[in-house]
Amino acid sequence: MYTIAVIGGGVIGLPAALAIQKEFGSKAKVIIFADKLSPHTTGDVAAGLWTPYILQNTPQEKVLQWAKATQDYILELWKRGEAKDAGISLQVMVNLSDQKEFKIPEWAKITLGYSEIPAEEVKSYNDKYAKRFTGGFTFVSFIWEASKFLPYLQKKFVENGGEVRVKNVQNFEEVAQFDVIVNCTGLNSRFLVPDLLVRPVRGQIARVHAPWQFHCFMTDEEHGHYIIPNQECVILGGTHQEGDFSTAISEQDKKFIFDGCVKYIPALKHAPVLKHQAGLRPGRDQVRLELERRNIGGKEVKIVHNYGHGGSGVTLSIGCAEEAAQLVKEALKFFVPSKL
Ligand SMILES: Cc1cc2nc3c(=O)[nH]c(=O)nc-3n(C[C@H](O)[C@H](O)[C@H](O)COP(=O)(O)OP(=O)(O)OC[C@H]3O[C@@H](n4cnc5c(N)ncnc54)[C@H](O)[C@@H]3O)c2cc1C
Ligand SMILES: *[C@@H]1O[C@H](CO)[C@@H](O)[C@H](O)[C@H]1NC(C)=O
Ligand SMILES: CC(=O)N[C@H]1CO[C@H](CO)[C@@H](O)[C@@H]1O
């Protein structure tokens, strides 16, 4: 039997652990090591919107492949009637742009439907909000709420024979006895790998009670705002602060978020706040998904890296998990499993 350690139990780690179980079945024992689980991971702060976002130079064809795989997976759960338990909702998103040359992004073509907002409608938004939008598009997409799907996936993982250990792994030596180590440690990869290319992109949001708000609204302005309904709350956002490591709630950000969102939907002013949250997106020049063979104390240790998903961890999770499982398979080629 192969023994595989997955470090990290967030939006990236849990799907990877499940994909490995699916690939190897009873031929592998998979153990997740994580010092934080839902509701304490970065994904628990996320809105859960399926949209490729803050990915910098990650190759476009990879983004499309991973995002599409995730969408297919969510669609399958949706069709099976598991939307409520898995935290899924299907919504119409409105995205307005103030870029000089507005262009609908590549990924729109893999959504469940999209259309450009006609010029006269953009003009009416501009008149209404005193803005200078140059274009925009609507698209149909899923919201996949991590605080619901993480417990849902964890249950599946354990039912499949997986084990979760709440533990901080300080160095490779601690897990070097595993046949393969899969690193899904998010921002912490900065310190663990160590990989200084990974840096925080802080995001603060507010969760409010507004059960009458049903469509998702956002802009791509530099300091833009977004309004994203979840099943039991609506998320008002948000900030993108590069290099900021603080998860403390900022009063100034609270005001920025509310003032900005209320301008678009005035009734939100009276929506009761359920909580304010701040999380650190694992920003990186590009997602790192690759196999490394590292010599530790004379032994070759195989590590599959899977981190740096920026503002799209939810969106890319399943696609990256499937590829991580293939890398684990590659790592184990010609390898004789250890006897348990
Ligand atoms: C405000 C905000 C809004 C967002 N909105 C969206 C959105 O709408 N759509 C979207 O796709 N994405 C969104 N994101 C991005 C998304 O949340 C992240 O990309 C994603 O959570 C990253 O997942 P991760 O599993 O890599 O990291 P994390 O969720 O941070 O998980 C890391 C895991 O590794 C574990 N770990 C780390 N170091 C160690 C160690 N040494 N030993 C043991 N365990 C360790 C942690 O305990 C944890 O389990 C948003 C993020 C923020 C902050
Ligand atoms: C909104 O659209 C712009 C292109 O106009 C795109 O760059 C941006 O990522 C989109 N935002 C989201 C959250 O999908
Ligand atoms: C995240 C990463 O690539 N490296 C870390 C993976 O987890 C081990 C745990 O042994 C850390 O020590 C690594 O540095």
Side-chain angles (χ1 to χ4, degrees):
M1 173 127 85
Y2 296 120
T3 61
I4 295 158
V6 175
I7 325 273
V11 157
I12 298 301
L14 257 172
L18 275 159
I20 294 163
Q21 283 181 327
K22 189 169 172 214
E23 183 65 42
F24 291 92
S26 59
K27 284 193 295 229
K29 170 81 186 165
V30 186
I31 300 181
I32 292 177
F33 294 89
D35 57 1
K36 286 185 190 150
L37 293 167
S38 181
H40 306 293
T41 72
T42 311
D44 292 284
V45 178
L49 173 60
W50 181 101
T51 181
Y53 191 57
I54 318 187
L55 285 166
Q56 302 182 67
N57 298 322
T58 303
Q60 189 64 223
E61 82 268 10
K62 281 291 171 190
V63 171
L64 295 182
Q65 176 200 327
W66 294 331
K68 176 76 168 61
T70 308
Q71 189 188 65
D72 290 347
Y73 183 91
I74 307 173
L75 182 59
E76 195 48 44
L77 291 176
W78 168 265
K79 284 185 187 161
R80 290 211 314 252
E82 305 208 22
K84 181 171 176 288
D85 291 345
I88 298 167
S89 52
L90 187 60
Q91 299 186 26
V92 175
M93 324 284 168
V94 177
N95 182 350
L96 290 164
S97 171
D98 70 352
Q99 317 260 297
K100 262 213 195 81
E101 277 169 43
F102 167 72
K103 222 176 121 255
I104 295 184
E106 269 290 283
W107 53 257
K109 64 179 188 228
I110 60 166
T111 61
L112 298 171
Y114 72 97
S115 62
E116 185 159 354
I117 298 176
E120 64 274 26
E121 201 176 319
V122 173
K123 185 176 176 300
S124 78
Y125 278 117
N126 285 338
D127 294 345
K128 191 152 99 188
Y129 303 132
K131 290 278 183 181
R132 288 192 188 158
F133 294 121
T134 51
F137 65 113
T138 60
F139 61 107
V140 179
S141 185
F142 286 114
I143 308 269
W144 200 25
E145 298 172 36
S147 54
K148 296 210 163 166
F149 79 72
L150 288 174
Y152 172 89
L153 295 182
Q154 189 175 326
K155 186 164 166 273
K156 278 196 180 180
F157 172 74
V158 172
E159 281 166 6
N160 292 343
E163 194 186 318
V164 179
R165 293 192 196 157
V166 179
K167 181 179 174 352
N168 180 273
V169 179
Q170 308 231 357
N171 54 56
F172 278 118
E173 285 77 359
E174 289 176 43
V175 282
Q177 77 276 17
F178 284 85
D179 297 333
V180 184
I181 301 166
V182 186
N183 252 307
C184 306
T185 50
L187 181 63
N188 230 10
S189 316
R190 180 181 172 90
F191 308 105
L192 285 177
V193 175
D195 181 348
L196 291 180
L197 288 178
V198 183
R199 21 159 215 71
V201 183
R202 180 181 180 278
Q204 181 168 322
I205 53 128
R207 284 178 195 268
V208 302
H209 184 63
W212 39 264
Q213 174 64 29
F214 286 106
H215 83 275
C216 181
F217 184 93
M218 64 203 138
T219 75
D220 72 353
E221 297 166 286
E222 196 186 339
H223 297 289
H225 291 87
Y226 54 83
I227 296 157
I228 304 180
N230 274 193
Q231 288 178 0
E232 277 134 38
C233 63
V234 174
I235 287 155
L236 309 186
T239 65
H240 310 97
Q241 294 135 324
E242 297 223 9
D244 185 340
F245 280 93
S246 168
T247 51
I249 299 304
S250 143
E251 290 300 321
Q252 200 183 331
D253 290 349
K254 268 193 207 174
K255 185 168 164 11
F256 164 78
I257 289 166
F258 263 89
D259 288 353
C261 292
V262 162
K263 216 162 31 186
Y264 294 114
I265 315 252
L268 287 170
K269 188 171 183 173
H270 309 289
V273 176
L274 303 172
K275 63 178 149 183
H276 295 279
Q277 284 176 296
L280 307 177
R281 303 176 182 89
R284 195 173 185 273
D285 170 55
Q286 49 177 281
V287 172
R288 185 172 185 207
L289 183 45
E290 66 186 5
L291 172 62
E292 181 196 357
R293 296 169 198 270
R294 199 183 281 192
N295 191 303
I296 297 178
K299 181 179 180 234
E300 186 194 75
V301 178
K302 302 171 189 72
I303 307 159
V304 173
H305 295 287
N306 185 9
Y307 61 79
H309 299 79
S312 299
V314 174
T315 310
L316 305 183
S317 59
I318 299 297
C320 290
E322 288 171 357
E323 193 162 322
Q326 289 311 310
L327 291 173
V328 170
K329 203 171 159 190
E330 189 184 321
L332 291 172
K333 231 194 240 167
F334 315 118
F335 182 80
V336 185
S338 47
K339 288 209 174 60
L340 271 192

